[in-house]
Amino acid sequence: MADPVHRSADEDGQDPAVESSTDSTAGGKSKKDKKKPPLWRELLVLGATALVLTILIQTFLARVYVIPSQSMEQTLHGCPGCNNDRVLVDKLVYDFTDIEPGEVVVFRGPETWGNNDFNSGRSDNPIVAGIQSVASLVGLAPPDERDFVKRVIAVGGQTVECCDDQHRVKVDGKPLDEPYIYWQPGTSPENHDPFEPVKVPEGHLWVMGDNRTNSTDSRKQGGGGLAGTVPEDNVIGKARVIVLPPSRWQGIGDHNPQALALGAPAWQGAIPAGAGLAAAWPLVFFGRKVRRRLTRATQP
């Protein structure tokens, strides 16, 4: 009786071991040959994601504003053709706390106010104007001409006037301590524009620029007086930190000009500046990390 023949190949003459080895090799090649997305596509997705997150954050939490005018010199730099400050504006703080004298705020100009101290130069082309509006969200273009940045001098229920015999603004009959005021060359406290007493309505603010002789504020807007006050509902947020240019990284002080008149300890004036610097540190730290990762992603 003949021994059965043990076939080592399949019906087509292919050795199963060889076929298995071939399939494994093919599978390995397919995995190795699977291409990664091109770098430009990864960068495009990264950029789009960053833009969406930036818009969401700046719509609901905080926003970067460019300072385009000189009205807040020298606290905030701004001038035509120069490298203007970019400031981070906290949009949540006033949901939990009241607006206090001395705080620098960004707000929408009331109907009684005219345009800002600058011309934003928005294009008549709707596409270009749209790009400019998006750029303004991240501080790459000037804000809307109806957005202002000023310092709160008095709040609802207080009476503000100018001036005493030393040319100081008074609130409720007491002179203010205003170390942040900037007098342009050729000007001095004697050039303080006087105005009659104004009792600020409840829910409103009296605001003025630190560059006291070059600021269109509550003294002048709407003809001054009650028309120059700003509804608290118009306030967008509190200016916290100068984020650009790097040489200007610092917190934005909110020295209460009424503090000495109210008998508050002088050391309290240092708290806002310290808090601002503490808030600026994480921005600088994470900004550097993001730049490093982008640099590594673009390297071959």
Side-chain angles (χ1 to χ4, degrees):
M1 184 174 176
D3 293 333
V5 178
H6 296 284
R7 303 181 63 185
S8 60
D10 61 10
E11 295 297 331
D12 297 327
Q14 176 65 44
D15 189 329
V18 174
E19 183 179 3
S20 175
S21 175
T22 303
D23 292 343
S24 176
T25 303
K29 286 184 178 180
S30 64
K31 290 180 181 178
K32 291 181 180 179
D33 292 343
K34 190 176 181 181
K35 294 182 178 179
K36 291 183 178 181
L39 178 60
W40 66 265
R41 185 181 300 172
E42 291 184 354
L43 292 175
L44 183 62
V45 172
L46 178 62
T49 303
L51 179 61
V52 171
L53 289 175
T54 298
I55 292 175
L56 290 175
I57 290 172
Q58 299 209 60
T59 299
F60 300 105
L61 300 179
R63 178 174 174 180
V64 176
Y65 276 81
V66 59
I67 305 301
S69 76
Q70 300 176 6
S71 68
M72 284 298 293
E73 292 280 1
Q74 292 181 320
T75 302
L76 302 175
H77 287 351
C79 59
C82 69
N83 191 8
N84 297 332
D85 284 347
R86 268 71 172 173
V87 300
L88 183 68
V89 175
D90 181 348
K91 303 180 76 172
L92 284 179
V93 60
Y94 295 132
D95 290 338
F96 306 98
T97 62
D98 294 330
I99 303 172
E100 299 290 342
E103 295 178 341
V104 177
V105 297
V106 172
F107 58 93
R108 292 180 298 276
E111 293 182 1
T112 55
W113 285 42
N115 283 345
N116 212 321
D117 302 319
F118 74 100
N119 186 338
S120 68
R122 294 294 170 90
S123 173
D124 293 331
N125 185 309
I127 296 177
V128 176
I131 294 174
Q132 290 175 326
S133 296
V134 172
S136 72
L137 287 175
V138 293
L140 298 178
D144 189 276
E145 292 177 1
R146 300 296 300 169
D147 292 343
F148 294 76
V149 56
K150 305 291 181 186
R151 191 180 297 272
V152 178
I153 300 301
V155 298
Q158 295 185 317
T159 299
V160 59
E161 61 183 304
C162 184
C163 298
D164 68 358
D165 56 1
Q166 297 183 41
H167 310 286
R168 296 174 298 184
V169 175
K170 298 191 296 182
V171 172
D172 292 338
K174 298 177 180 179
L176 300 182
D177 174 46
E178 299 190 276
Y180 43 73
I181 291 181
Y182 170 61
W183 300 104
Q184 295 185 129
T187 66
S188 67
E190 287 77 8
N191 299 107
H192 228 147
D193 294 331
F195 55 89
E196 296 299 317
V198 177
K199 185 171 183 179
V200 182
E202 293 294 339
H204 285 65
L205 307 168
W206 184 272
V207 297
M208 299 171 72
D210 289 356
N211 189 354
R212 203 50 59 87
T213 58
N214 189 13
S215 174
T216 307
D217 47 39
S218 291
R219 299 168 296 171
K220 303 175 182 179
Q221 291 282 9
L226 292 177
T229 61
V230 177
E232 290 185 3
D233 290 343
N234 283 36
V235 173
I236 297 170
K238 177 180 178 179
R240 291 281 193 185
V241 181
I242 299 174
V243 294
L244 287 173
S247 60
R248 292 271 298 156
W249 278 338
Q250 59 184 303
I252 299 172
D254 52 5
H255 170 80
N256 186 345
Q258 302 179 26
L260 294 181
L262 296 173
W267 58 265
Q268 290 183 359
I271 294 178
L277 289 173
W281 182 85
L283 290 173
V284 176
F285 177 75
F286 287 111
R288 288 175 177 172
K289 291 189 69 174
V290 170
R291 286 196 297 270
R292 288 172 184 169
R293 289 191 178 183
L294 287 176
T295 301
R296 291 171 184 171
T298 55
Q299 290 177 348

